[in-house]
Amino acid sequence: MPPKPPSPGPHPLDLNPYERLEFEEKEKRRRDNDIDPPATLNSRQEGLRRRAALGKNVDIAPNEESKEDEGYFAQKRNGRLSSPEDTKTGEGKGKKSPLMSNLKLDDFRDTLEAGIERKFAPLHIPPNRRLQTAAVALWALLLPISMIVLLLLLSLPPAWLILLPYFIWISFDKAPIHGGRPKEWARRGFIWKYFAEYYPCSIVKEADLPPDRPYLFGYHPHGIIGMGAFATFATEGTNFSEYFPGIKPHLLTLGSNFKIPFYRELLMIHGCGSVSKRSCANVLSQGPGSAIAIVIGGAAESLSAHPGTADLTLKKRFGFVKMAIREGADLVPVFSFGENDIYAQLANAKGSMVYKLQKKFQKVFGFTLPLFYGRGLFNYNYGLMPFRHPIVSVVGKPIHVERDPHPSDEKVQELQGKYIAELTRIWDKYKDLYARGRTKELTLVE
């Protein structure tokens, strides 16, 4: 009897995104080295290899579920998603980086044309995915919509009778420093289920949190915008109350957000508040089960938010530790795998002109402007919508804190060390499961 032919290998489109990227890289190495493919390649893979060897374009139409990820990996193959360390060490040599070339517009245009191949969304997409995209787009547009409504009302003199008292009331309103005005119906709005399912966002719980004491959640990393933080702590999109019954979370953000008419009200009905010291103390003193969530790295960390990396701004952050000790709140580290992967950011290595300008902007205005891009509403790799990439928020084990109104520096540093150790443990435990596409390990940059 003739020998049994070897079983065909997997079809490249049947692989998950990470396996598909590895397969394509191996195929490229085989073509470059003129190495025959293994006998397990099926006929389609063999045909693709032969056509590529002859210099012909190979057009593979990805299926509906994987097509949205194709733009991300196409950009990664073209060097568009390199980390700032690549530019610094020279590993990205030969790849155009417009902002590292004195911001030349011609270079920027050439880089966009060469590095981003537009892939448009198919016409036939399940309705639930349309709703997920609409939910994220609506959230992203809340601020500009609020500003447009304000400008329209200002253009109508009769509306001034309402706006003037409203502006006066804003200047005296203390709700932002007391955890906002949370409404359960707002947190449980159906839109937030679609918002969380877009990426999707999910929670991994490592320990129960008894609702008999206050908690301070430290969220890492910041990412470009912190979508995972909002989905987890400001909504019930990830079913937070089912994982931690009795805990009332308040996501704290910059106080400047609560000076924007209308937009501030939308934030506060979801339990958001100012991240000032007074605000933290007010919320944590509201009784057992009260909790605040702070994105520890802040604006500085957003400049390090590159796909595949986990660069945290944490070394010199002692304020949240002092607050936890003064209020007797247990510290709970939260690491969100995938937060840095939903947007791509142009190269901004430390010491570059772009980085210096961003830091100066941050010093003046209190926040910074990462030069990022994502996907669009009708295409998969060019726009300001986030990429669809899983965000898994691992809520670590609580670190018990004894109340001390006047903590010593040694006590603060000791507790910060425990916090960093727990955060590192989370990374080491889950990185091979949720960060398989990482380009570097967890790093404390500042």
Side-chain angles (χ1 to χ4, degrees), residues 391-427:
I391 300 176
V392 182
S393 298
V394 180
V395 181
K397 299 175 182 178
I399 302 171
H400 184 68
V401 178
E402 293 292 341
R403 190 173 186 275
D404 183 355
H406 305 287
S408 63
D409 292 341
E410 292 77 12
K411 188 173 184 178
V412 171
Q413 292 175 2
E414 179 186 359
L415 188 57
Q416 191 212 38
K418 292 181 179 179
Y419 181 90
I420 293 176
E422 173 64 12
L423 193 65
T424 304
R425 183 195 65 80
I426 294 173
W427 167 264

Side-chain angles (χ1 to χ4, degrees), residues 152-225:
L152 288 176
L153 291 176
L154 287 174
S155 66
L156 302 174
W160 297 354
L161 297 175
I162 300 175
L163 290 178
L164 183 59
Y166 178 55
F167 292 154
I168 296 174
W169 177 69
I170 287 177
S171 63
F172 290 97
D173 185 23
K174 302 299 181 183
I177 61 173
H178 288 87
R181 285 183 280 269
K183 305 296 181 185
E184 196 63 21
W185 59 264
R187 288 178 53 87
R188 295 184 179 275
F190 73 93
I191 185 178
W192 303 125
K193 288 294 182 183
Y194 290 110
F195 179 89
E197 290 171 357
Y198 173 87
Y199 303 96
C201 297
S202 59
I203 291 177
V204 172
K205 182 178 80 169
E206 287 215 319
D208 292 330
L209 300 180
D212 58 353
R213 57 185 298 102
Y215 294 94
L216 192 157
F217 293 90
Y219 185 90
H220 310 268
H222 183 285
I224 297 295
I225 298 178

Side-chain angles (χ1 to χ4, degrees), residues 72-381:
Y72 174 85
F73 290 102
Q75 294 166 49
K76 189 166 185 176
R77 290 194 299 273
N78 290 326
R80 295 290 297 150
L81 300 186
S82 59
S83 69
E85 295 297 324
D86 295 339
T87 306
K88 191 174 181 180
T89 59
E91 292 178 7
K93 190 175 181 180
K95 301 170 185 175
K96 290 186 178 181
S97 180
L99 297 176
M100 302 305 293
S101 304
N102 297 324
L103 296 175
K104 293 181 180 179
L105 295 181
D106 290 340
D107 288 347
F108 182 63
R109 181 196 61 205
D110 294 342
T111 303
L112 287 179
E113 292 176 353
I116 302 180
E117 179 186 355
R118 289 179 178 81
K119 293 185 178 293
F120 291 95
L123 295 177
H124 303 291
I125 287 183
N128 66 312
R129 292 177 72 83
R130 296 283 191 192
L131 291 172
Q132 292 164 9
T133 302
V136 175
L138 179 61
W139 164 242
L141 292 173
L142 281 181
L143 177 57
I145 289 174
S146 299
M147 298 301 296
I148 291 172
V149 171
L150 176 62
L151 293 175
L152 288 176
L153 291 176
L154 287 174
S155 66
L156 302 174
W160 297 354
L161 297 175
I162 300 175
L163 290 178
L164 183 59
Y166 178 55
F167 292 154
I168 296 174
W169 177 69
I170 287 177
S171 63
F172 290 97
D173 185 23
K174 302 299 181 183
I177 61 173
H178 288 87
R181 285 183 280 269
K183 305 296 181 185
E184 196 63 21
W185 59 264
R187 288 178 53 87
R188 295 184 179 275
F190 73 93
I191 185 178
W192 303 125
K193 288 294 182 183
Y194 290 110
F195 179 89
E197 290 171 357
Y198 173 87
Y199 303 96
C201 297
S202 59
I203 291 177
V204 172
K205 182 178 80 169
E206 287 215 319
D208 292 330
L209 300 180
D212 58 353
R213 57 185 298 102
Y215 294 94
L216 192 157
F217 293 90
Y219 185 90
H220 310 268
H222 183 285
I224 297 295
I225 298 178
M227 294 291 195
F230 184 83
T232 302
F233 295 105
T235 78
E236 283 296 320
T238 56
N239 300 315
F240 180 90
S241 62
E242 294 182 13
Y243 286 97
F244 306 104
I247 306 299
K248 301 179 287 293
H250 295 267
L251 179 62
L252 304 187
T253 182
L254 292 175
S256 57
N257 288 317
F258 301 96
K259 297 179 181 179
I260 305 173
F262 309 127
Y263 182 66
R264 66 191 299 275
E265 314 302 336
L266 295 172
L267 291 178
M268 287 194 290
I269 63 175
H270 290 89
C272 296
S274 170
V275 76
S276 65
K277 293 181 181 179
R278 185 179 176 187
S279 175
C280 294
N282 288 338
V283 176
L284 291 175
S285 62
Q286 289 177 0
S290 59
I292 60 175
I294 303 176
V295 185
I296 306 297
E301 194 171 86
S302 66
L303 298 181
S304 303
H306 292 267
T309 67
D311 295 340
L312 305 185
T313 301
L314 184 57
K315 287 181 180 179
K316 300 178 182 179
R317 300 292 168 121
F318 298 101
F320 75 101
V321 180
K322 292 179 182 178
M323 180 59 62
I325 298 176
R326 288 170 182 164
E327 300 299 328
D330 285 1
L331 284 170
V332 184
V334 180
F335 194 96
S336 278
F337 293 88
E339 183 69 67
N340 281 349
D341 297 302
I342 61 175
Y343 282 109
Q345 185 174 178
L346 299 184
N348 60 339
K350 279 189 176 181
S352 67
M353 181 182 66
V354 176
Y355 184 82
K356 291 177 181 178
L357 290 175
Q358 289 173 324
K359 295 299 287 186
K360 287 182 180 179
F361 187 94
Q362 178 189 347
K363 187 177 293 185
V364 174
F365 296 99
F367 63 95
T368 188
L369 294 175
L371 300 176
F372 67 94
Y373 65 91
R375 55 161 288 183
L377 285 173
F378 304 108
N379 72 83
Y380 290 137
N381 55 357

